[in-house]
Each structure stands twice: as C-alpha cells, then as structure tokens.
Amino acid sequence: MSSFIFQIIGPEQRLIGEERMCLPDLPSVWSELIRMSWRVTESGTRMEVRDESGDVVIWVGIATARATADRVHVAA
C-alpha cells in the first residue's frame, strides 16, 4: 500500500479540499479519484494526486475524470 494525497484545486489555484489515502496501486487511485469527482460542484476545478514523494502522478479536470468513469467502469 502506498500513500496518496488527493487535492481538489479550484479556479485561481485555490485549494478546495485535500484527502490522504493508502491505496494498493494506480488503478485504485484512479477509481477513488473518479468517485471523488462526483462530489465536486464548483465548475473549473481539477484534481491532483500526489505520491509519497510529493510528485504529481495524476492531474485531471473534473469533467474529464467523470467522463473516464464509463471507460473504466467505475460507479459514481
């Protein structure tokens, strides 16, 4: 298991929310990111996921994250 930091970034680089999770692999990180994207209501937001080193491993807009759900079969 690895630790990941999920950040929701709003317009003008404003940090809206942050959550740390331990997950086994990158596919499960994507699954959690997609689920989290459906809780975001503010337009123009994006999500960043950082690994234990602080490196960005995923950087995606909310709309793209939601659209990805159908392709990877993740329930909202």
Side-chain angles (χ1 to χ4, degrees), residues 36-74:
M36 290 175 75
S37 73
W38 290 100
R39 298 189 301 230
V40 177
T41 58
E42 190 171 342
S43 63
T45 56
R46 62 183 167 85
M47 293 183 76
E48 287 184 8
V49 180
R50 296 177 181 273
D51 63 12
E52 294 172 335
S53 304
D55 295 328
V56 175
V57 293
I58 300 172
W59 187 96
V60 65
I62 295 299
T64 301
R66 290 175 183 167
T68 304
D70 291 334
R71 293 180 179 210
V72 295
H73 308 293
V74 173

Side-chain angles (χ1 to χ4, degrees), residues 2-46:
S2 297
S3 180
F4 295 92
I5 300 169
F6 293 77
Q7 295 181 317
I8 300 169
I9 314 283
E12 300 176 15
Q13 304 299 314
R14 182 173 49 90
L15 181 63
I16 295 172
E18 182 174 286
E19 189 170 339
R20 184 179 300 264
M21 292 184 194
C22 288
L23 297 167
D25 53 25
L26 206 49
S28 45
V29 171
W30 267 104
S31 294
E32 189 58 40
L33 181 143
I34 291 166
R35 279 191 276 283
M36 290 175 75
S37 73
W38 290 100
R39 298 189 301 230
V40 177
T41 58
E42 190 171 342
S43 63
T45 56
R46 62 183 167 85

